[in-house]
Amino acid sequence: MFKKLKDSIQGFSDQVKETVVEKEIDSDTLDDVLWDLELELMQNNVAQKVVEEIKEDLKEELVGTSVKRTQVDEKIKSSLKKSMRNVLKAPDFRIEDLANEKPGLVLFMGFNGSGKTTSLAKIAHSLKEDHEILLAAGDTYRSAAIDQIEEHGENLGLKVIKHEYGSDGAAVVYDAKEHAEKEGYDLVLADTAGRSHSDKNLMEELDKMCRVNDPDLKLLVVDALSGNDVVEQAKKYEEIGFDGIIVTKVDVDKKGGATLSLGYLTGKPILYLGTGQGYEDMEEFDPDQMVERLLE
Ligand SMILES: Nc1nc2c(ncn2[C@@H]2O[C@H](COP(=O)(O)OP(=O)(O)O)[C@@H](O)[C@H]2O)c(=O)[nH]1
Ligand SMILES: [Mg+2]
């Protein structure tokens, strides 16, 4: 999945081997190779700030240490691993925990096409054995959005609360929450629009959605293929605030840097990675595993 990044790390390591036989690594030697690594990281969609952080960390770790030729690979890898691990935040909560709220309300936010509805359905699929799940068709804007979530409801055997197209998404979610309270559901998973109803701005609508419904968890869904743009997207949603991130389409993203950048720049944990279009194609995010993947 992260082949390009792996190649560049190998190149970095080879260069250190060329310049260092068995002496202390000095700052100048390292600067040359760090430059290459920096370029590669940036070409792999790692944001500038994160590249700087990794570089500084790596310098601190390596300058002044003496490494035997045979141990260069290992040393570089372990240092880089440590630096990358430092920029990733581990999730400190699980969606299941919200079931105790009876009903817990989870909002899925993100721009059109980012994978909100698909991710919502995947999570519903993974939780439905142990919990009573209700779906809310809160995206009343996009044509076919309601049909899409209804189809997931049918496939998964889950009830969907919906209104008409063009109606107020906040009211749909409000209804769903009431219905869930009355009928004893554990969790409401609510879709939201990724575009605005022409007259208002999207963030205002989402703000209303949140004020009316007081969600227990707000998840931002971003598409790894957007590259560095995901950071811009996340910044826009900081206006509303969110508690965690889902990164989708990592199965088609050959770079992987966006995921590395997001956690660090938003300070919010990545909870899941979307790895395909099927219901099973979602992984709980594990920072250690992520770093292993980048460097294996
Ligand atoms: N390959 C791949 N495709 C995905 C993933 N998540 C969503 N998609 C696809 O991306 C497209 C947009 O997803 P959708 O859930 O409708 O996005 P929404 O507009 O945010 O609700 C659909 O064709 C999905 O099947 C993923 O993790 N991997
Ligand atoms: Mg959708």
Side-chain angles (χ1 to χ4, degrees):
M1 195 186 308
F2 301 112
K3 184 162 184 317
K4 271 189 92 178
L5 195 56
K6 283 179 227 161
D7 291 347
S8 68
I9 287 155
Q10 190 55 51
F12 172 59
S13 184
D14 288 346
Q15 279 191 61
V16 173
K17 264 192 242 172
E18 269 169 32
T19 48
V20 184
V21 184
E22 205 191 311
K23 56 171 186 178
E24 275 193 3
I25 298 178
D26 60 70
S27 191
D28 288 345
T29 310
L30 204 56
D31 272 339
D32 288 347
V33 286
L34 281 175
W35 171 241
D36 267 8
L37 180 73
E38 174 171 3
L39 270 182
E40 282 294 334
L41 286 173
M42 288 180 68
Q43 278 165 7
N44 280 287
N45 289 336
V46 179
Q48 179 73 43
K49 254 187 171 164
V50 178
V51 174
E52 291 300 327
E53 178 73 22
I54 290 174
K55 264 176 54 186
E56 282 311 305
D57 213 51
L58 209 51
K59 253 188 169 166
E60 249 172 56
E61 188 78 16
L62 290 174
V63 170
T65 59
S66 38
V67 191
K68 289 203 177 106
R69 216 172 213 282
T70 51
Q71 289 163 358
V72 171
D73 275 355
E74 220 21 69
K75 178 70 185 163
I76 303 266
K77 257 194 183 174
S78 69
S79 302
L80 198 53
K81 214 178 258 189
K82 212 170 131 196
S83 304
M84 285 182 167
R85 181 61 189 83
N86 283 345
V87 303
L88 289 168
K89 197 171 148 116
D92 52 2
F93 60 88
R94 295 166 65 93
I95 294 182
E96 282 109 302
D97 301 338
L98 297 172
N100 302 328
E101 303 287 329
K102 266 207 160 294
L105 172 62
V106 185
L107 284 193
F108 289 75
M109 310 188 302
F111 290 121
N112 267 356
S114 63
K116 289 181 296 298
T117 313
T118 308
S119 301
L120 179 155
K122 288 174 179 176
I123 288 174
H125 172 75
S126 75
L127 298 179
K128 77 186 176 101
E129 290 309 321
D130 297 320
H131 303 285
E132 294 297 324
I133 311 276
L134 182 67
L135 307 184
D139 181 357
T140 57
Y141 178 80
R142 194 183 199 183
S143 59
I146 300 176
D147 299 340
Q148 193 191 0
I149 195 169
E150 275 198 302
E151 198 181 317
H152 286 306
E154 251 169 55
N155 292 344
L156 299 170
L158 299 174
K159 188 177 169 80
V160 179
I161 300 294
K162 60 162 186 175
H163 291 182
E164 302 280 295
Y165 279 107
S167 64
D168 182 3
V172 179
V173 176
Y174 187 83
D175 268 8
K177 210 177 154 182
E178 273 207 322
H179 183 80
E181 271 162 23
K182 212 167 69 196
E183 303 293 330
Y185 282 88
D186 299 321
L187 283 170
V188 178
L189 305 185
D191 207 3
T192 67
R195 281 269 173 78
S196 162
H197 290 268
S198 56
D199 54 333
K200 269 195 207 156
N201 111 14
L202 175 63
M203 296 306 151
E204 274 175 45
E205 271 179 30
L206 282 171
D207 186 50
K208 180 183 171 198
M209 171 71 87
C210 294
R211 273 187 289 111
V212 171
N213 295 300
D214 191 22
D216 300 290
L217 189 68
K218 288 179 272 184
L219 297 179
L220 178 66
V221 180
V222 297
D223 169 347
L225 293 175
S226 311
N228 263 317
D229 206 41
V230 293
V231 175
E232 293 309 310
Q233 290 180 22
K235 279 196 188 125
K236 293 213 172 78
Y237 279 88
E238 269 169 2
E239 229 180 272
I240 307 294
F242 54 89
D243 308 296
I245 305 171
I246 297 176
V247 183
T248 65
K249 307 182 196 179
V250 298
D251 53 313
V252 262
D253 172 39
K254 298 285 175 266
K255 295 180 169 177
T259 315
L260 198 62
S261 302
L262 262 177
Y264 178 74
L265 293 176
T266 64
K268 300 295 178 196
I270 295 166
L271 296 181
Y272 293 97
L273 299 180
T275 57
Q277 295 184 299
Y279 290 122
E280 306 272 354
D281 299 331
M282 174 162 269
E283 289 174 12
E284 279 186 37
F285 181 70
D286 176 344
D288 295 314
Q289 199 188 348
M290 169 86 192
V291 171
E292 287 296 331
R293 261 196 209 168
L294 285 163
L295 299 181
E296 267 322 296

